[in-house]
Amino acid sequence: MAKLVVENLTKRFGSVTAVDRLSFTAEDREFLVLIGPSGCGKSTTLNLIAGLEEASAGRISIGDRQVTHLHPKDRDIAMVFQNYALYPHMDVYANMAFGLSMRGYSKAEIGRRIQEAAEILGIKNLLQRKPRALSGGQRQRVAVGRAIVRKPAVFLFDEPLSNLDAKLRVQMRAELSKLHQRLNTTIVYVTHDQIEAMTMATRIVLLKDGICQQIGRPLELYTRPVNTFTAGFIGTPPMNLVPARIQAENGKMMVATDGFRLPIPARWRQAYERLKSKEVIFGIRPEHLRGTREGDIAVDAATVTRLEVDLVEMLGSHVQLTLTCGPERLIALADPALPVKAGDRIPVVFNMDSMHLFEKREPQRRIDAAPAA
Amino acid sequence: MNICSTSSTASMGILPRIKTAWHRHNVSGYAFILPALLVILCLVAYPFVMAIYLSMSDAWVGTEGKFVGFRNYIDLVQNDIFRQTLQNSLVFTFFAVTVKTILGMALALLLNARIRFQRIFRGAILLPWVIPNTMSTLGWLWMFDPLFSVLNWVLKHAGLIQTNVSWLSNPYWAMVSIVTVNVWRGLPFFAITLLAGLVSIPPELYKAAHIDGAGAVRCFFRITLPLLKPLLLIVILFSTISTISDFNIVYILTRGGPMNLTHLLATLSFQMGLSGGRLGLGAAVSLFMFPVLCVVVYFQLKTIRGGATYD
């Protein structure tokens, strides 16, 4: 139970910089998720925190202690690996006891802690089994059990659910969240799955090419992505991003693309005055883009555009439409009852109150209407 | 499926029938192992059975010989030279295999470490194993020469010895010498096989062990060694069999001397059976260790089957 502080952490492998001046803080009892695409440096970061890799520069502290150059065993951390890394020649009990016996705990204390952990994880009946006699989910629990018997200051999870099938993953996700509440300890969790990040994290650190893109609560990343990378990474299906130009027209500010021209909501007009005639990236999430039927439209007709349907995907609860918008494609959602087929031209309602604007030049930063908002 | 094909074969010609039978009884499988089987029958099974027969006969070179039961074996047990040879074989095998195991393990760990020129080292380590046995042993014979050899010269100039050592005619050094050459030659087999075992251990296990607080030594004894155990036992088993039946080294270096103190079963068998012409006695020498080895193999294989696997 401690705060983890990472400052300007850098790791270079030869000429490749895997982690670049990364700084973040996991508060005491926080569930911090490191997320990013493959090769973004998230696992390297976790290995650096664990001490399995030596940092090229920067500092790591756990609680009040500087641990940057300490041996893994002296950092008071426990780690759960993607492939569980259970010792195949030891039974479950010995696997969980290993770390404790290395630290010189008494047999009685080891037994007590293992019973306690086995109780929490529901693996009491598996203690005498070898790892190869366990299912994926059971191995996962044992791996977690091996970590929690140690009662470390910080737990590190390295993509612990990615070897499980989809159904089990959802179940373990909920269990890990509950476990976090119960153990009340600091967790740093690496994943590439943004649903895991959104559902479990108290805060998310989003990485790309070893560089931190955004740190914030899940909803913050979702509603106010700081750049187009974050916008495209968080949310499924991802946010629609199209190049656009801001134009003034009869006292209104308009977003114009090759496929549509739509007005910016009145309350932001003044704030976006400065963008007049500028090239930008217009972003809108699929859930804020609704395919409808002629005559159904009960909203401000100014935010409606007719677009051609390229692909219809029925998902039961809703229909996902791929629309043609000039050279770009837009994803929109619609009611499953909507009679629509590929090639139709249908009215699409843009919920402009949920629009995003980004700079056109890299790194395509967010443009806020009011910086303080 | 079976019922189908049976009913349909009734109306078939002879060729399709053969085809069906061929597939149904897996004849192709037997056909594939037939050549190997023939070779084994002619070159292993026949000589083996022949040796058993000879060992129970009083055959000399040029005479048929008659069945004498276990007479040869009883003679051997009472023969001083044979008893000395048996002891030599056990001492030779025990030390050679032990040293090969320890050094092989150490070498495998070194080769598995992240070092420069790793591939070159891994390749070079195999050299003693690929050089023809007789050639390399002749090289050793030259190095062990008491008067003109590089070994004595180096030791003398390093100040470690005052007078030349007669490596192959001193009873103690003769045994040390043949063990050394056997170790030199057999080490690559241990190192490379154990290296293959080390490479297959998932690196995450070591990461987990490091975090769990195990240092390098405890990692080795608690993780590496238990996981290598099945492989290690197989390697030791193979090596024991090939070491106890070693022939070339002794035949070239010492011819069993001095005073039969380095004779091994194979060289004694050769001397008695072929040089000495007593075929029956020679066969008995070579078969003497067979029952013992059978028991060793049985227990070792049994232990290996109970070993750990990871997936």
Side-chain angles (χ1 to χ4, degrees), chain A residues 52 73 79 83 85-89 98-99 102-103 132 139 146 150, chain B residues 204-205 208-213 218 222-223 226-227 309-311:
Chain A
L52 297 169
K73 71 178 187 329
M79 189 156 168
N83 61 3
L86 299 177
Y87 309 124
H89 54 298
F98 189 73
M102 287 293 130
R103 284 178 165 71
R132 67 169 176 274
R139 287 179 200 187
R146 187 169 66 178
R150 295 248 321 276
Chain B
E204 282 77 16
L205 291 184
H210 279 305
I211 291 174
D212 270 343
R218 286 203 278 195
R222 301 288 299 269
I223 310 286
L227 289 176
T309 56
Y310 32 83
D311 49 15

PDB file of all heavy atoms in Angstrom, chain A residues 52 73 79 83 85-89 98-99 102-103 132 139 146 150, chain B residues 204-205 208-213 218 222-223 226-227 309-311:
ATOM      1  N   LEU A  52      13.116  -5.641 -13.577  1.00  0.00           N
ATOM      2  CA  LEU A  52      13.594  -6.689 -14.474  1.00  0.00           C
ATOM      3  C   LEU A  52      14.411  -6.103 -15.616  1.00  0.00           C
ATOM      4  O   LEU A  52      15.143  -6.812 -16.291  1.00  0.00           O
ATOM      5  CB  LEU A  52      12.405  -7.480 -15.030  1.00  0.00           C
ATOM      6  CG  LEU A  52      11.596  -8.227 -13.982  1.00  0.00           C
ATOM      7  CD1 LEU A  52      10.305  -8.766 -14.558  1.00  0.00           C
ATOM      8  CD2 LEU A  52      12.408  -9.360 -13.374  1.00  0.00           C
ATOM      9  N   LYS A  73      13.655  -8.070  -5.947  1.00  0.00           N
ATOM     10  CA  LYS A  73      13.142  -8.630  -4.693  1.00  0.00           C
ATOM     11  C   LYS A  73      13.074  -7.592  -3.587  1.00  0.00           C
ATOM     12  O   LYS A  73      12.355  -7.774  -2.608  1.00  0.00           O
ATOM     13  CB  LYS A  73      13.985  -9.829  -4.260  1.00  0.00           C
ATOM     14  CG  LYS A  73      15.380  -9.508  -3.765  1.00  0.00           C
ATOM     15  CD  LYS A  73      16.030 -10.811  -3.354  1.00  0.00           C
ATOM     16  CE  LYS A  73      17.366 -10.740  -2.665  1.00  0.00           C
ATOM     17  NZ  LYS A  73      18.302  -9.703  -2.935  1.00  0.00           N
ATOM     18  N   MET A  79       4.302  -9.432  -9.245  1.00  0.00           N
ATOM     19  CA  MET A  79       3.941  -9.299 -10.651  1.00  0.00           C
ATOM     20  C   MET A  79       3.179 -10.525 -11.144  1.00  0.00           C
ATOM     21  O   MET A  79       3.508 -11.649 -10.784  1.00  0.00           O
ATOM     22  CB  MET A  79       5.224  -9.109 -11.475  1.00  0.00           C
ATOM     23  CG  MET A  79       5.000  -8.750 -12.915  1.00  0.00           C
ATOM     24  SD  MET A  79       6.462  -7.885 -13.541  1.00  0.00           S
ATOM     25  CE  MET A  79       6.128  -7.876 -15.288  1.00  0.00           C
ATOM     26  N   ASN A  83       1.650 -15.053 -19.402  1.00  0.00           N
ATOM     27  CA  ASN A  83       1.541 -16.517 -19.506  1.00  0.00           C
ATOM     28  C   ASN A  83       1.633 -17.169 -18.121  1.00  0.00           C
ATOM     29  O   ASN A  83       1.966 -18.328 -18.008  1.00  0.00           O
ATOM     30  CB  ASN A  83       2.597 -17.069 -20.456  1.00  0.00           C
ATOM     31  CG  ASN A  83       3.997 -16.754 -19.980  1.00  0.00           C
ATOM     32  OD1 ASN A  83       4.149 -16.170 -18.906  1.00  0.00           O
ATOM     33  ND2 ASN A  83       5.002 -17.132 -20.726  1.00  0.00           N
ATOM     34  N   ALA A  85       3.520 -17.741 -15.832  1.00  0.00           N
ATOM     35  CA  ALA A  85       4.850 -18.058 -15.310  1.00  0.00           C
ATOM     36  C   ALA A  85       4.781 -18.843 -13.997  1.00  0.00           C
ATOM     37  O   ALA A  85       5.526 -18.590 -13.061  1.00  0.00           O
ATOM     38  CB  ALA A  85       5.692 -16.780 -15.123  1.00  0.00           C
ATOM     39  N   LEU A  86       3.874 -19.805 -13.933  1.00  0.00           N
ATOM     40  CA  LEU A  86       3.842 -20.679 -12.750  1.00  0.00           C
ATOM     41  C   LEU A  86       4.984 -21.673 -12.862  1.00  0.00           C
ATOM     42  O   LEU A  86       5.333 -22.097 -13.961  1.00  0.00           O
ATOM     43  CB  LEU A  86       2.504 -21.426 -12.689  1.00  0.00           C
ATOM     44  CG  LEU A  86       1.275 -20.529 -12.568  1.00  0.00           C
ATOM     45  CD1 LEU A  86       0.005 -21.379 -12.599  1.00  0.00           C
ATOM     46  CD2 LEU A  86       1.324 -19.716 -11.286  1.00  0.00           C
ATOM     47  N   TYR A  87       5.571 -22.043 -11.731  1.00  0.00           N
ATOM     48  CA  TYR A  87       6.662 -23.022 -11.757  1.00  0.00           C
ATOM     49  C   TYR A  87       6.068 -24.396 -12.041  1.00  0.00           C
ATOM     50  O   TYR A  87       5.324 -24.928 -11.217  1.00  0.00           O
ATOM     51  CB  TYR A  87       7.411 -23.009 -10.423  1.00  0.00           C
ATOM     52  CG  TYR A  87       7.842 -21.624  -9.993  1.00  0.00           C
ATOM     53  CD1 TYR A  87       7.466 -21.101  -8.770  1.00  0.00           C
ATOM     54  CD2 TYR A  87       8.606 -20.823 -10.847  1.00  0.00           C
ATOM     55  CE1 TYR A  87       7.848 -19.816  -8.389  1.00  0.00           C
ATOM     56  CE2 TYR A  87       8.985 -19.546 -10.473  1.00  0.00           C
ATOM     57  CZ  TYR A  87       8.608 -19.043  -9.245  1.00  0.00           C
ATOM     58  OH  TYR A  87       8.984 -17.787  -8.888  1.00  0.00           O
ATOM     59  N   PRO A  88       6.382 -24.984 -13.217  1.00  0.00           N
ATOM     60  CA  PRO A  88       5.661 -26.192 -13.634  1.00  0.00           C
ATOM     61  C   PRO A  88       5.927 -27.412 -12.759  1.00  0.00           C
ATOM     62  O   PRO A  88       5.118 -28.326 -12.712  1.00  0.00           O
ATOM     63  CB  PRO A  88       6.163 -26.430 -15.061  1.00  0.00           C
ATOM     64  CG  PRO A  88       7.425 -25.665 -15.181  1.00  0.00           C
ATOM     65  CD  PRO A  88       7.358 -24.537 -14.218  1.00  0.00           C
ATOM     66  N   HIS A  89       7.072 -27.412 -12.061  1.00  0.00           N
ATOM     67  CA  HIS A  89       7.414 -28.601 -11.283  1.00  0.00           C
ATOM     68  C   HIS A  89       6.921 -28.513  -9.847  1.00  0.00           C
ATOM     69  O   HIS A  89       7.147 -29.418  -9.064  1.00  0.00           O
ATOM     70  CB  HIS A  89       8.931 -28.805 -11.294  1.00  0.00           C
ATOM     71  CG  HIS A  89       9.683 -27.578 -10.847  1.00  0.00           C
ATOM     72  ND1 HIS A  89       9.621 -26.382 -11.528  1.00  0.00           N
ATOM     73  CD2 HIS A  89      10.478 -27.355  -9.792  1.00  0.00           C
ATOM     74  CE1 HIS A  89      10.366 -25.485 -10.908  1.00  0.00           C
ATOM     75  NE2 HIS A  89      10.899 -26.054  -9.851  1.00  0.00           N
ATOM     76  N   PHE A  98       6.566 -20.124  -2.618  1.00  0.00           N
ATOM     77  CA  PHE A  98       7.952 -19.890  -3.038  1.00  0.00           C
ATOM     78  C   PHE A  98       8.491 -18.521  -2.594  1.00  0.00           C
ATOM     79  O   PHE A  98       9.523 -18.438  -1.933  1.00  0.00           O
ATOM     80  CB  PHE A  98       8.058 -20.043  -4.558  1.00  0.00           C
ATOM     81  CG  PHE A  98       9.473 -20.042  -5.071  1.00  0.00           C
ATOM     82  CD1 PHE A  98      10.298 -21.133  -4.870  1.00  0.00           C
ATOM     83  CD2 PHE A  98       9.970 -18.951  -5.758  1.00  0.00           C
ATOM     84  CE1 PHE A  98      11.599 -21.144  -5.351  1.00  0.00           C
ATOM     85  CE2 PHE A  98      11.281 -18.945  -6.239  1.00  0.00           C
ATOM     86  CZ  PHE A  98      12.088 -20.044  -6.029  1.00  0.00           C
ATOM     87  N   GLY A  99       7.743 -17.476  -2.956  1.00  0.00           N
ATOM     88  CA  GLY A  99       8.195 -16.121  -2.633  1.00  0.00           C
ATOM     89  C   GLY A  99       8.312 -15.895  -1.131  1.00  0.00           C
ATOM     90  O   GLY A  99       9.226 -15.203  -0.655  1.00  0.00           O
ATOM     91  N   MET A 102      11.353 -17.814   0.267  1.00  0.00           N
ATOM     92  CA  MET A 102      12.590 -17.108  -0.101  1.00  0.00           C
ATOM     93  C   MET A 102      12.853 -15.941   0.855  1.00  0.00           C
ATOM     94  O   MET A 102      13.972 -15.499   1.024  1.00  0.00           O
ATOM     95  CB  MET A 102      12.482 -16.553  -1.525  1.00  0.00           C
ATOM     96  CG  MET A 102      12.564 -17.594  -2.613  1.00  0.00           C
ATOM     97  SD  MET A 102      14.162 -18.370  -2.725  1.00  0.00           S
ATOM     98  CE  MET A 102      13.716 -20.081  -2.723  1.00  0.00           C
ATOM     99  N   ARG A 103      11.773 -15.422   1.418  1.00  0.00           N
ATOM    100  CA  ARG A 103      11.919 -14.283   2.321  1.00  0.00           C
ATOM    101  C   ARG A 103      11.983 -14.715   3.783  1.00  0.00           C
ATOM    102  O   ARG A 103      11.937 -13.866   4.683  1.00  0.00           O
ATOM    103  CB  ARG A 103      10.757 -13.311   2.117  1.00  0.00           C
ATOM    104  CG  ARG A 103      10.914 -12.507   0.854  1.00  0.00           C
ATOM    105  CD  ARG A 103       9.740 -11.583   0.616  1.00  0.00           C
ATOM    106  NE  ARG A 103      10.084 -10.599  -0.399  1.00  0.00           N
ATOM    107  CZ  ARG A 103      10.228 -10.874  -1.695  1.00  0.00           C
ATOM    108  NH1 ARG A 103      10.033 -12.096  -2.113  1.00  0.00           N
ATOM    109  NH2 ARG A 103      10.551  -9.927  -2.554  1.00  0.00           N
ATOM    110  N   ARG A 132       0.028 -27.897 -14.766  1.00  0.00           N
ATOM    111  CA  ARG A 132      -0.460 -28.456 -16.031  1.00  0.00           C
ATOM    112  C   ARG A 132      -1.830 -29.110 -15.889  1.00  0.00           C
ATOM    113  O   ARG A 132      -2.495 -29.377 -16.880  1.00  0.00           O
ATOM    114  CB  ARG A 132       0.553 -29.448 -16.607  1.00  0.00           C
ATOM    115  CG  ARG A 132       0.752 -30.712 -15.801  1.00  0.00           C
ATOM    116  CD  ARG A 132       1.566 -31.745 -16.566  1.00  0.00           C
ATOM    117  NE  ARG A 132       1.834 -32.899 -15.750  1.00  0.00           N
ATOM    118  CZ  ARG A 132       2.872 -32.994 -14.917  1.00  0.00           C
ATOM    119  NH1 ARG A 132       3.714 -31.992 -14.836  1.00  0.00           N
ATOM    120  NH2 ARG A 132       3.045 -34.068 -14.181  1.00  0.00           N
ATOM    121  N   ARG A 139      -5.226 -21.247 -13.630  1.00  0.00           N
ATOM    122  CA  ARG A 139      -3.821 -20.816 -13.592  1.00  0.00           C
ATOM    123  C   ARG A 139      -3.743 -19.324 -13.310  1.00  0.00           C
ATOM    124  O   ARG A 139      -2.884 -18.853 -12.569  1.00  0.00           O
ATOM    125  CB  ARG A 139      -3.149 -21.089 -14.939  1.00  0.00           C
ATOM    126  CG  ARG A 139      -2.888 -22.545 -15.168  1.00  0.00           C
ATOM    127  CD  ARG A 139      -2.251 -22.757 -16.516  1.00  0.00           C
ATOM    128  NE  ARG A 139      -2.450 -24.143 -16.905  1.00  0.00           N
ATOM    129  CZ  ARG A 139      -1.908 -24.700 -17.971  1.00  0.00           C
ATOM    130  NH1 ARG A 139      -1.153 -23.991 -18.769  1.00  0.00           N
ATOM    131  NH2 ARG A 139      -2.134 -25.950 -18.246  1.00  0.00           N
ATOM    132  N   ARG A 146      -0.318 -16.109  -6.064  1.00  0.00           N
ATOM    133  CA  ARG A 146       1.102 -16.045  -5.766  1.00  0.00           C
ATOM    134  C   ARG A 146       1.520 -14.603  -5.482  1.00  0.00           C
ATOM    135  O   ARG A 146       2.422 -14.354  -4.684  1.00  0.00           O
ATOM    136  CB  ARG A 146       1.885 -16.600  -6.957  1.00  0.00           C
ATOM    137  CG  ARG A 146       3.359 -16.726  -6.697  1.00  0.00           C
ATOM    138  CD  ARG A 146       4.052 -17.498  -7.773  1.00  0.00           C
ATOM    139  NE  ARG A 146       4.020 -16.782  -9.034  1.00  0.00           N
ATOM    140  CZ  ARG A 146       4.600 -17.226 -10.153  1.00  0.00           C
ATOM    141  NH1 ARG A 146       5.212 -18.370 -10.156  1.00  0.00           N
ATOM    142  NH2 ARG A 146       4.538 -16.532 -11.261  1.00  0.00           N
ATOM    143  N   ARG A 150       2.038 -12.336  -0.920  1.00  0.00           N
ATOM    144  CA  ARG A 150       3.202 -11.553  -0.545  1.00  0.00           C
ATOM    145  C   ARG A 150       2.823 -10.235   0.119  1.00  0.00           C
ATOM    146  O   ARG A 150       3.648  -9.599   0.763  1.00  0.00           O
ATOM    147  CB  ARG A 150       4.056 -11.279  -1.783  1.00  0.00           C
ATOM    148  CG  ARG A 150       4.660 -12.534  -2.407  1.00  0.00           C
ATOM    149  CD  ARG A 150       6.141 -12.514  -2.210  1.00  0.00           C
ATOM    150  NE  ARG A 150       6.616 -11.162  -2.395  1.00  0.00           N
ATOM    151  CZ  ARG A 150       6.902 -10.608  -3.551  1.00  0.00           C
ATOM    152  NH1 ARG A 150       6.823 -11.333  -4.635  1.00  0.00           N
ATOM    153  NH2 ARG A 150       7.281  -9.364  -3.630  1.00  0.00           N
TER     154      ARG A 150
ATOM    155  N   GLU B 204      10.112 -16.093 -18.408  1.00  0.00           N
ATOM    156  CA  GLU B 204       9.234 -15.512 -17.388  1.00  0.00           C
ATOM    157  C   GLU B 204       9.403 -16.198 -16.037  1.00  0.00           C
ATOM    158  O   GLU B 204       9.200 -15.585 -14.996  1.00  0.00           O
ATOM    159  CB  GLU B 204       7.751 -15.595 -17.798  1.00  0.00           C
ATOM    160  CG  GLU B 204       7.325 -14.571 -18.811  1.00  0.00           C
ATOM    161  CD  GLU B 204       7.777 -14.929 -20.198  1.00  0.00           C
ATOM    162  OE1 GLU B 204       8.147 -16.109 -20.411  1.00  0.00           O
ATOM    163  OE2 GLU B 204       7.806 -14.036 -21.066  1.00  0.00           O
ATOM    164  N   LEU B 205       9.755 -17.513 -16.079  1.00  0.00           N
ATOM    165  CA  LEU B 205       9.919 -18.224 -14.814  1.00  0.00           C
ATOM    166  C   LEU B 205      11.032 -17.584 -13.991  1.00  0.00           C
ATOM    167  O   LEU B 205      10.927 -17.460 -12.772  1.00  0.00           O
ATOM    168  CB  LEU B 205      10.236 -19.697 -15.070  1.00  0.00           C
ATOM    169  CG  LEU B 205       9.114 -20.530 -15.661  1.00  0.00           C
ATOM    170  CD1 LEU B 205       9.540 -21.979 -15.766  1.00  0.00           C
ATOM    171  CD2 LEU B 205       7.857 -20.413 -14.819  1.00  0.00           C
ATOM    172  N   ALA B 208       9.816 -14.240 -12.660  1.00  0.00           N
ATOM    173  CA  ALA B 208       8.958 -14.463 -11.497  1.00  0.00           C
ATOM    174  C   ALA B 208       9.806 -14.824 -10.280  1.00  0.00           C
ATOM    175  O   ALA B 208       9.575 -14.320  -9.178  1.00  0.00           O
ATOM    176  CB  ALA B 208       7.949 -15.563 -11.794  1.00  0.00           C
ATOM    177  N   ALA B 209      10.810 -15.673 -10.491  1.00  0.00           N
ATOM    178  CA  ALA B 209      11.651 -16.102  -9.369  1.00  0.00           C
ATOM    179  C   ALA B 209      12.464 -14.930  -8.818  1.00  0.00           C
ATOM    180  O   ALA B 209      12.652 -14.811  -7.611  1.00  0.00           O
ATOM    181  CB  ALA B 209      12.575 -17.234  -9.811  1.00  0.00           C
ATOM    182  N   HIS B 210      12.931 -14.046  -9.716  1.00  0.00           N
ATOM    183  CA  HIS B 210      13.677 -12.869  -9.254  1.00  0.00           C
ATOM    184  C   HIS B 210      12.797 -12.003  -8.373  1.00  0.00           C
ATOM    185  O   HIS B 210      13.216 -11.526  -7.323  1.00  0.00           O
ATOM    186  CB  HIS B 210      14.181 -12.058 -10.448  1.00  0.00           C
ATOM    187  CG  HIS B 210      15.420 -12.607 -11.062  1.00  0.00           C
ATOM    188  ND1 HIS B 210      16.561 -12.844 -10.333  1.00  0.00           N
ATOM    189  CD2 HIS B 210      15.698 -12.975 -12.325  1.00  0.00           C
ATOM    190  CE1 HIS B 210      17.478 -13.341 -11.135  1.00  0.00           C
ATOM    191  NE2 HIS B 210      16.978 -13.442 -12.345  1.00  0.00           N
ATOM    192  N   ILE B 211      11.568 -11.783  -8.834  1.00  0.00           N
ATOM    193  CA  ILE B 211      10.650 -10.956  -8.052  1.00  0.00           C
ATOM    194  C   ILE B 211      10.307 -11.657  -6.742  1.00  0.00           C
ATOM    195  O   ILE B 211      10.159 -11.029  -5.705  1.00  0.00           O
ATOM    196  CB  ILE B 211       9.386 -10.649  -8.880  1.00  0.00           C
ATOM    197  CG1 ILE B 211       9.768  -9.723 -10.025  1.00  0.00           C
ATOM    198  CG2 ILE B 211       8.302 -10.022  -8.020  1.00  0.00           C
ATOM    199  CD1 ILE B 211       8.664  -9.458 -11.008  1.00  0.00           C
ATOM    200  N   ASP B 212      10.200 -12.995  -6.818  1.00  0.00           N
ATOM    201  CA  ASP B 212       9.910 -13.761  -5.600  1.00  0.00           C
ATOM    202  C   ASP B 212      11.084 -13.742  -4.621  1.00  0.00           C
ATOM    203  O   ASP B 212      10.957 -14.225  -3.504  1.00  0.00           O
ATOM    204  CB  ASP B 212       9.562 -15.216  -5.955  1.00  0.00           C
ATOM    205  CG  ASP B 212       8.070 -15.399  -6.180  1.00  0.00           C
ATOM    206  OD1 ASP B 212       7.303 -14.516  -5.756  1.00  0.00           O
ATOM    207  OD2 ASP B 212       7.671 -16.425  -6.766  1.00  0.00           O
ATOM    208  N   GLY B 213      12.224 -13.252  -5.072  1.00  0.00           N
ATOM    209  CA  GLY B 213      13.332 -13.094  -4.138  1.00  0.00           C
ATOM    210  C   GLY B 213      14.421 -14.132  -4.256  1.00  0.00           C
ATOM    211  O   GLY B 213      15.280 -14.235  -3.385  1.00  0.00           O
ATOM    212  N   ARG B 218      19.825 -19.847  -5.976  1.00  0.00           N
ATOM    213  CA  ARG B 218      18.549 -20.501  -5.672  1.00  0.00           C
ATOM    214  C   ARG B 218      17.710 -20.692  -6.936  1.00  0.00           C
ATOM    215  O   ARG B 218      16.979 -21.675  -7.054  1.00  0.00           O
ATOM    216  CB  ARG B 218      17.786 -19.717  -4.610  1.00  0.00           C
ATOM    217  CG  ARG B 218      18.446 -19.930  -3.245  1.00  0.00           C
ATOM    218  CD  ARG B 218      17.504 -19.684  -2.135  1.00  0.00           C
ATOM    219  NE  ARG B 218      17.408 -18.252  -1.856  1.00  0.00           N
ATOM    220  CZ  ARG B 218      16.877 -17.772  -0.739  1.00  0.00           C
ATOM    221  NH1 ARG B 218      16.377 -18.583   0.166  1.00  0.00           N
ATOM    222  NH2 ARG B 218      16.821 -16.485  -0.531  1.00  0.00           N
ATOM    223  N   ARG B 222      16.379 -24.311  -7.556  1.00  0.00           N
ATOM    224  CA  ARG B 222      14.931 -24.459  -7.398  1.00  0.00           C
ATOM    225  C   ARG B 222      14.178 -24.436  -8.727  1.00  0.00           C
ATOM    226  O   ARG B 222      13.067 -24.956  -8.813  1.00  0.00           O
ATOM    227  CB  ARG B 222      14.384 -23.352  -6.484  1.00  0.00           C
ATOM    228  CG  ARG B 222      14.997 -23.339  -5.082  1.00  0.00           C
ATOM    229  CD  ARG B 222      14.506 -24.516  -4.251  1.00  0.00           C
ATOM    230  NE  ARG B 222      13.076 -24.510  -4.065  1.00  0.00           N
ATOM    231  CZ  ARG B 222      12.467 -23.936  -3.041  1.00  0.00           C
ATOM    232  NH1 ARG B 222      13.149 -23.332  -2.111  1.00  0.00           N
ATOM    233  NH2 ARG B 222      11.155 -23.999  -2.926  1.00  0.00           N
ATOM    234  N   ILE B 223      14.728 -23.804  -9.745  1.00  0.00           N
ATOM    235  CA  ILE B 223      14.014 -23.698 -11.025  1.00  0.00           C
ATOM    236  C   ILE B 223      14.737 -24.508 -12.118  1.00  0.00           C
ATOM    237  O   ILE B 223      14.183 -25.455 -12.668  1.00  0.00           O
ATOM    238  CB  ILE B 223      13.912 -22.224 -11.502  1.00  0.00           C
ATOM    239  CG1 ILE B 223      13.396 -21.332 -10.383  1.00  0.00           C
ATOM    240  CG2 ILE B 223      13.063 -22.133 -12.765  1.00  0.00           C
ATOM    241  CD1 ILE B 223      11.947 -21.466 -10.074  1.00  0.00           C
ATOM    242  N   PRO B 226      15.480 -28.614 -11.354  1.00  0.00           N
ATOM    243  CA  PRO B 226      14.298 -29.484 -11.420  1.00  0.00           C
ATOM    244  C   PRO B 226      13.694 -29.565 -12.820  1.00  0.00           C
ATOM    245  O   PRO B 226      13.221 -30.619 -13.231  1.00  0.00           O
ATOM    246  CB  PRO B 226      13.302 -28.814 -10.465  1.00  0.00           C
ATOM    247  CG  PRO B 226      14.097 -27.932  -9.605  1.00  0.00           C
ATOM    248  CD  PRO B 226      15.306 -27.534 -10.375  1.00  0.00           C
ATOM    249  N   LEU B 227      13.738 -28.443 -13.564  1.00  0.00           N
ATOM    250  CA  LEU B 227      13.146 -28.464 -14.901  1.00  0.00           C
ATOM    251  C   LEU B 227      14.024 -29.206 -15.903  1.00  0.00           C
ATOM    252  O   LEU B 227      13.530 -29.747 -16.882  1.00  0.00           O
ATOM    253  CB  LEU B 227      12.879 -27.039 -15.387  1.00  0.00           C
ATOM    254  CG  LEU B 227      11.732 -26.329 -14.670  1.00  0.00           C
ATOM    255  CD1 LEU B 227      11.604 -24.895 -15.140  1.00  0.00           C
ATOM    256  CD2 LEU B 227      10.433 -27.078 -14.900  1.00  0.00           C
ATOM    257  N   THR B 309       6.725 -31.169 -17.002  1.00  0.00           N
ATOM    258  CA  THR B 309       6.634 -30.566 -18.335  1.00  0.00           C
ATOM    259  C   THR B 309       5.995 -29.199 -18.176  1.00  0.00           C
ATOM    260  O   THR B 309       5.330 -28.936 -17.192  1.00  0.00           O
ATOM    261  CB  THR B 309       5.738 -31.392 -19.270  1.00  0.00           C
ATOM    262  OG1 THR B 309       4.474 -31.534 -18.649  1.00  0.00           O
ATOM    263  CG2 THR B 309       6.344 -32.729 -19.571  1.00  0.00           C
ATOM    264  N   TYR B 310       6.253 -28.332 -19.133  1.00  0.00           N
ATOM    265  CA  TYR B 310       5.573 -27.049 -19.094  1.00  0.00           C
ATOM    266  C   TYR B 310       4.969 -26.757 -20.446  1.00  0.00           C
ATOM    267  O   TYR B 310       5.442 -27.226 -21.466  1.00  0.00           O
ATOM    268  CB  TYR B 310       6.521 -25.922 -18.696  1.00  0.00           C
ATOM    269  CG  TYR B 310       7.933 -26.097 -19.121  1.00  0.00           C
ATOM    270  CD1 TYR B 310       8.341 -25.745 -20.397  1.00  0.00           C
ATOM    271  CD2 TYR B 310       8.857 -26.660 -18.247  1.00  0.00           C
ATOM    272  CE1 TYR B 310       9.645 -25.935 -20.792  1.00  0.00           C
ATOM    273  CE2 TYR B 310      10.162 -26.847 -18.640  1.00  0.00           C
ATOM    274  CZ  TYR B 310      10.553 -26.485 -19.907  1.00  0.00           C
ATOM    275  OH  TYR B 310      11.838 -26.682 -20.289  1.00  0.00           O
ATOM    276  N   ASP B 311       3.893 -26.017 -20.430  1.00  0.00           N
ATOM    277  CA  ASP B 311       3.282 -25.643 -21.716  1.00  0.00           C
ATOM    278  C   ASP B 311       2.844 -24.201 -21.688  1.00  0.00           C
ATOM    279  O   ASP B 311       3.024 -23.538 -20.684  1.00  0.00           O
ATOM    280  CB  ASP B 311       2.089 -26.546 -22.029  1.00  0.00           C
ATOM    281  CG  ASP B 311       1.143 -26.659 -20.853  1.00  0.00           C
ATOM    282  OD1 ASP B 311       1.277 -25.833 -19.936  1.00  0.00           O
ATOM    283  OD2 ASP B 311       0.308 -27.542 -20.844  1.00  0.00           O
TER     284      ASP B 311
END
